[in-house]
Amino acid sequence: QVQLVESGGGLVQAGGSLRLSCAASGSIFNLNFLNAMGWYRQTPGKQRELVAVITWGARGIRTNYADSVKGRFTISRDMPKNTVYLQMNSLKPEDTGVYYCNARSTLDYWGQGTQVTVSS
């Protein structure tokens, strides 16, 4: 099993910044099989949507972003700490939601979610 602990959510005014962190823990065996970590966002009445993902493996490190956050959000990974960060700049009210960390191997692991609220 892999456990994910998120932090960094909160209330911010439009145009502000937040940084989310997601630390993965568990057996070394399971952590070594991870090949992707990312952030998803969910708002009331909507499906959970991908915000950003970082993958690693034989093809190197790759990142992918939702069109709505390109140029404003940056995902990064600290390998020794098994931690993924999401730097969110120029936040908009529509970025409001619960942000969930995801880690993937042959299984999907999810964090408990952290609330991000952007006021106008």
Side-chain angles (χ1 to χ4, degrees), residues 6 8 23 34 43-44 50 62-63 67 71 75 84 86 88 98 103 109:
E6 301 133 331
L34 295 179
T43 53
L50 175 69
R62 296 183 175 185
T63 58
D67 288 342
I75 189 169
V84 168
L86 184 67
M88 305 185 293
V98 179
Y109 302 95

Side-chain angles (χ1 to χ4, degrees), residues 7-58:
S7 61
L11 173 65
V12 65
Q13 288 188 334
S17 298
L18 284 174
R19 189 176 82 152
L20 305 182
S21 300
C22 174
S25 63
S27 71
I28 296 296
F29 177 82
N30 286 326
L31 290 173
N32 285 342
F33 273 93
L34 295 179
N35 53 42
M37 291 183 71
W39 291 93
Y40 289 71
R41 175 172 68 200
Q42 189 160 24
T43 53
K46 292 186 178 181
Q47 288 187 334
R48 194 173 295 186
E49 60 176 355
L50 175 69
V51 175
V53 63
I54 184 167
T55 63
W56 57 90

Side-chain angles (χ1 to χ4, degrees), residues 47-89:
Q47 288 187 334
R48 194 173 295 186
E49 60 176 355
L50 175 69
V51 175
V53 63
I54 184 167
T55 63
W56 57 90
R59 297 183 178 183
I61 299 174
R62 296 183 175 185
T63 58
N64 192 33
Y65 299 90
D67 288 342
S68 61
V69 307
K70 284 180 180 177
R72 300 188 297 121
F73 291 11
T74 302
I75 189 169
S76 60
R77 180 188 177 214
D78 184 330
M79 282 188 62
K81 295 183 178 179
N82 289 308
T83 299
V84 168
Y85 304 96
L86 184 67
Q87 179 66 43
M88 305 185 293
N89 298 328

